[in-house]
Amino acid sequence: MISLTHYLLVGACLFCIGLYVALTKRNAIQILIGIELMLNAGILNLVAFGKFDKAANGGQLFALFAIVLAAATTAVALAIILNVYRRYKTIDPNKVDKLKG
Amino acid sequence: MSAAQILFGLMSFIALASAVYVAASNNLVRSVFMFFVTLFALAGLYVLALADFVAVTQIVIYVGGILVLILFVFMLSGRETLEAMQHQPKRLWKLANLPAFLICALLLIVLFNLFMNTNADALPWIKQAVHNNDVIKAENTMTENIGINLMTRYLLPFEVISILLLMALAGAAHLSRKEAGA
């Protein structure tokens, strides 16, 4: 029997690693990966608590919704990254500093 | 120690180690592929939390969809990105990263303290769920129940999500079209 606290601790570690990746990397794709790591930490918590909701399946269903939302976010974000690359020839967010191209 | 506990330890070690590698590596291709490994290990953790349908969805959508998209964009954004990656400093512990590291470490300490003090297994609603036998057991198959709940109790979020997916589809297609002159 694995206790809930273990899942929460693993989720917390993953969230902090994802936050670090999103804060320090100088590449839009890697920042996106960091955000995905944080989302996955959240989904892990939803799933772990969802074990205690057999009738309504709240946790598991909202984990599914979160996965779908992550997919939609990624598709739009990658389209934006491609556009930024086409205009600036770089995907370093620090160098993209014009509001009007 | 039971087999489930050993597997849990193994899976969480793989997930955390590959996530640390993603954070430490300067090579974009390697970090994308280690992110694959993190996602697979997380799918294993979902199975251990008795959410097999979520685990399969994770593999299909994340590994099959999102990562392929990320690789696509990486290849489309081409050589300059790769060369810029090579010129970055190699060390993980740069001084410029110190504030970010401090934020993450302090947040981690706060979260650890919180989880150690709350004792999630003794929360009132979880105790009540255990008392009412509302806990998923290993021999239950939940996929049918998930389908029924999706079409009854969670019908409104389901429809909202489908509209949002349609909007994201149209928006992504609009953003990545070839610009004609403008």
Side-chain angles (χ1 to χ4, degrees):
Chain A
M1 179 68 193
I2 308 151
S3 79
L4 263 176
T5 310
H6 291 131
Y7 284 106
L8 292 179
L9 292 181
V10 173
C13 292
L14 263 182
F15 186 88
C16 290
I17 295 170
L19 186 61
Y20 182 77
V21 172
L23 285 178
T24 57
K25 293 296 178 186
R26 291 171 200 286
N27 183 319
I29 297 178
Q30 276 174 313
I31 290 174
L32 195 65
I33 290 178
I35 293 171
E36 297 293 326
L37 274 177
M38 288 195 272
L39 270 171
N40 265 295
I43 294 171
L44 180 63
N45 282 8
L46 279 177
V47 163
F49 278 105
K51 192 178 171 185
F52 296 91
D53 193 7
K54 185 182 178 184
N57 278 123
Q60 296 193 10
L61 275 168
F62 277 92
L64 290 176
F65 290 148
I67 290 176
V68 172
L69 282 179
T73 326
T74 316
V76 175
L78 289 176
I80 292 174
I81 289 174
L82 267 185
N83 264 1
V84 166
Y85 176 73
R86 208 180 289 155
R87 183 158 298 180
Y88 291 91
K89 295 294 167 207
T90 177
I91 51 172
D92 183 346
N94 292 325
K95 291 183 186 148
V96 182
D97 48 8
K98 286 196 200 78
L99 282 180
K100 192 178 178 200
Chain B
M1 265 172 61
S2 67
Q5 275 167 323
I6 295 171
L7 277 176
F8 179 83
L10 190 70
M11 292 292 180
S12 42
F13 174 75
I14 294 173
L16 292 178
S18 53
V20 167
Y21 189 89
V22 169
S25 157
N26 272 324
N27 189 326
L28 182 56
V29 189
R30 272 191 206 155
S31 67
V32 169
F33 277 99
M34 286 315 269
F35 186 53
F36 256 104
V37 177
T38 315
L39 292 178
F40 268 113
L42 273 169
L45 284 180
Y46 298 166
V47 171
L48 286 175
L50 304 181
D52 35 1
F53 188 72
V54 181
V56 172
T57 316
Q58 161 102 352
I59 291 176
V60 169
I61 293 186
Y62 262 104
V63 180
I66 292 179
L67 273 176
V68 172
L69 260 181
I70 289 178
L71 281 177
F72 239 109
V73 168
F74 167 68
M75 286 165 188
L76 282 176
S77 66
R79 190 177 297 159
E80 286 89 349
T81 328
L82 254 184
E83 280 168 2
M85 302 305 298
Q86 306 295 334
H87 296 309
Q88 277 191 2
K90 293 287 178 216
R91 282 173 299 142
L92 171 62
W93 308 112
K94 281 191 307 181
L95 198 60
N97 289 346
L98 191 65
F101 181 74
L102 276 182
I103 288 177
C104 299
L106 291 177
L107 182 64
L108 192 66
I109 291 170
V110 169
L111 286 175
F112 264 56
N113 265 324
L114 188 68
F115 295 150
M116 286 307 181
N117 291 332
T118 37
N119 187 15
D121 294 280
L123 287 177
W125 70 272
I126 285 179
K127 269 189 185 161
Q128 198 180 5
V130 173
H131 182 252
N132 293 343
N133 212 7
D134 200 10
V135 182
I136 300 173
K137 303 248 177 13
E139 61 267 19
N140 298 134
T141 50
M142 297 310 294
T143 313
E144 187 188 349
N145 200 7
I146 285 177
I148 291 171
N149 271 323
L150 198 61
M151 283 297 152
T152 53
R153 191 188 297 257
Y154 298 106
L155 187 58
L156 182 64
F158 181 69
E159 295 294 339
V160 171
I161 281 256
S162 60
I163 290 184
L164 183 120
L165 270 183
L166 186 66
M167 282 158 57
L169 177 71
H174 175 76
L175 276 175
S176 56
R177 80 203 186 285
K178 285 245 163 47
E179 284 185 56

